């Protein structure tokens, strides 16, 4: 029995869920998300909640049961509340600022790094605190864009310079301790 898959997904007021076979569309105040799920999974909308049923108890369908329910729940939360990830930039001369909608970062390269937000994503930069916040209604897209920004300058273990997620713990290494002979 899938504990996650058995739980119904509550649909709050102001959110429209449309099910067309295996395609689920969720519209809310922040935006609209559409996703196609496995055709064997049965998705039912009734009395302000969405439930997911699986065809049998095979291992594959048990895993798919919980996944389908979690993805639908993420869609509903995304169009109502939205998602955000905060990145911290640490290092001498490393900073980020907004120019229009674009995020422009100085990361020690000979050129500034410009990141253009895709549809549904917005950036918020605080240069004084060296933080960048990625906001959007699609959880998957927010995480991917945050990971792409972090990939420009991952944290190095000796000095701790680079871009990290807020609250990320970086294991520091000791530097060379050789003596002059």
């Amino acid at each position: 029995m899938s504990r996650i898959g058995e739980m119904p997904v509550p649909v709050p007021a102001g959110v429209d869920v449309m099910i067309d076979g295996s395609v689920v569309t969720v519209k809310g105040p922040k935006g609209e998300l559409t996703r196609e799920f496995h055709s064997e999974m049965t998705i039912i909308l009734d009395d302000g909640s969405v439930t997911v049923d699986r065809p049998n108890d095979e291992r594959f369908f048990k895993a798919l049961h919980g996944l389908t329910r979690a993805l639908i729940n993420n869609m509903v939360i995304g169009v109502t509340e939205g998602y955000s990830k905060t990145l911290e930039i640490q290092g001498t001369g490393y900073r980020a600022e907004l120019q229009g909608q674009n995020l422009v970062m100085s990361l020690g390269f000979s050129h500034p790094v410009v990141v253009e937000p895709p549809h549904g994503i917005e950036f918020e930069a605080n240069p004084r605190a060296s933080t960048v916040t990625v906001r959007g209604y699609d959880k998957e897209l927010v995480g991917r864009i945050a990971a792409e920004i972090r990939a420009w300058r991952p944290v190095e273990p000796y000095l701790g310079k680079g871009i990290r997620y807020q609250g990320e713990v970086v294991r520091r290494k000791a530097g060379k301790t050789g003596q002059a002979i």
Side-chain angles (χ1 to χ4, degrees):
M1 177 176 95
S2 172
R3 293 183 185 149
I4 298 293
E6 293 294 325
M7 294 189 295
V9 177
V11 179
V15 175
D16 295 329
V17 177
M18 291 169 281
I19 301 170
D20 182 25
S22 61
V23 177
V24 177
T25 303
V26 181
K27 289 183 186 176
K30 297 223 180 240
E32 176 180 345
L33 292 171
T34 302
R35 186 174 204 120
E36 184 173 358
F37 295 99
H38 195 277
S39 60
E40 296 280 328
M41 303 306 289
T42 307
I43 303 167
I44 304 162
L45 172 66
D46 59 323
D47 296 334
S49 66
V50 177
T51 55
V52 179
D53 291 327
R54 62 179 182 249
N56 56 40
D57 287 339
E58 289 180 18
R59 184 180 179 98
F60 174 73
F61 289 118
K62 284 183 178 181
L64 207 56
H65 190 202
L67 173 69
T68 304
R69 188 263 180 206
L71 290 173
I72 293 172
N73 189 47
N74 288 343
M75 290 168 69
V76 171
I77 292 172
V79 298
T80 55
E81 301 168 21
Y83 290 100
S84 68
K85 285 209 178 257
T86 303
L87 301 163
E88 297 174 348
I89 301 174
Q90 293 182 355
T92 305
Y94 291 5
R95 65 181 183 277
E97 61 186 13
L98 287 178
Q99 288 182 355
Q101 297 291 321
N102 296 340
L103 180 68
V104 179
M105 298 181 290
S106 298
L107 300 173
F109 298 119
S110 62
H111 55 84
V113 176
V114 179
V115 180
E116 296 180 11
H119 177 70
I121 295 292
E122 60 185 37
F123 297 125
E124 179 182 313
N126 183 355
R128 185 161 293 267
S130 297
T131 60
V132 174
T133 305
V134 181
R135 296 186 197 283
Y137 54 85
D138 187 355
K139 186 175 186 177
E140 186 177 339
L141 186 59
V142 168
R144 185 174 56 108
I145 296 300
E148 288 175 4
I149 292 171
R150 184 181 181 278
W152 277 103
R153 191 61 92 176
V155 180
E156 56 95 19
Y158 294 102
L159 297 176
K161 298 187 334 182
I163 303 174
R164 66 180 79 194
Y165 294 112
Q166 189 173 37
E168 180 181 358
V169 177
V170 176
R171 290 187 56 198
R172 300 285 299 271
K173 293 182 178 180
K176 291 184 179 180
T177 58
Q179 298 177 6
I181 299 178

